[in-house]
Amino acid sequence: PSFTGTASATNVSLPDDGVLSLGTSDELTLKHHNSGYSHLINTTGTLYVDSDSVTFRDDDGSPSNMVISQTGIDVTGTATMDGLSVAASTADYLSSITNSNGTDAGGGLYVNTRWNTAANSVAKFVSNSGSNTVANFAGNGDISFYEDTGTTAKLFWDASAESLGIGTSSPDQLLQLGSETYGANAIIKTQVDGSDAGDFDAGLHMRSHNDDFGGSIVLESRSSTNDIINFKYHNNSSAGVSAMAIDATNGNVGIGVS
C-alpha cells in the first residue's frame, strides 16, 4: 500500500482530496476536498456519535450554531426543514414557542402555507391520537371549533359570508345560534333543533342568576299550539310567569296572561 501525507504518534496529515478509510471495505471514509469542504461518508449500517453533547460551530471558534445534548437540540439562527414531526410521552407540554423580545415588536407563531387558499387546513389541532378534532383553521379563512367528541364543528366562522354560527357549521345570518334553517333576514338568529320545536322554536333568554332565579326576559314562539311570543319573568321558576303575550295568528296582546 502507498501513503501520501505525514504521520506521527499523535497526528495523521493528509493532503487535499486524500481519503482516510476505515473498515475492511472502506465503509467509513473522511475526505477534505480541494474545493474547500470536508466529506464524511458512512456506507453501511448506522453512524453513532456517542457523547453527552455535540456542538457545531464556525471554524473560527465563534459561538455555536447548534448543540445536540441529552436535553434536546439548541439552534442559534434559523432552522429550515421540509417537515417537522414531534413525538414524546410526557405529562407536560410537548412543545413551546417563546420569543424573548421584551418589546411590542416581538412576534409569535407565523404559519405560511403559500398556495393554501381553499377549504383545506392551514392549521389543525387534534387530540386522542388524532381521532378528535379540536380546532381547524382553513386556507380560505374559515375557523371551526369542535364539540367534545371532536367530530362536529359547533362554533364556526364563515369568512366569505362574514357570519358566525354557534351550534351550526352553516350560519345563514351574521350570527346564528342553533342548527335549524329557515328563511329570514335577521342580524341575530336564535334557533332550536327541530326535535325541540314542540317546546319552543326560538328564544332569547337573559338571566341575572340562573334558570330558576333572578330577573329575565324570555321571548319564545310556540309552534305546538299558536305562534305566541311570551315576555316572561322568572322567580324561583324555570318555566317563568308570562307578563305579556303576543298571539301572532290574530294580533291579540295579553298582559298578565299567556
Side-chain angles (χ1 to χ4, degrees), residues 147-191:
E147 34 72 78
D148 60 344
T149 66
T151 57
T152 306
K154 290 298 185 179
L155 194 155
F156 177 76
W157 168 252
D158 189 326
S160 62
E162 298 181 0
S163 299
L164 179 65
I166 299 177
T168 177
S169 59
S170 55
D172 57 13
Q173 308 297 328
L174 292 179
L175 174 61
Q176 178 176 337
L177 311 179
S179 59
E180 294 298 299
T181 301
Y182 63 94
N185 294 320
I187 295 177
I188 300 176
K189 181 174 79 171
T190 61
Q191 183 72 35

Side-chain angles (χ1 to χ4, degrees), residues 206-209 213-217 233-234:
M206 294 174 286
R207 303 291 176 90
S208 62
H209 182 55
F213 297 94
S216 68
I217 300 175
Y233 64 90
H234 295 253

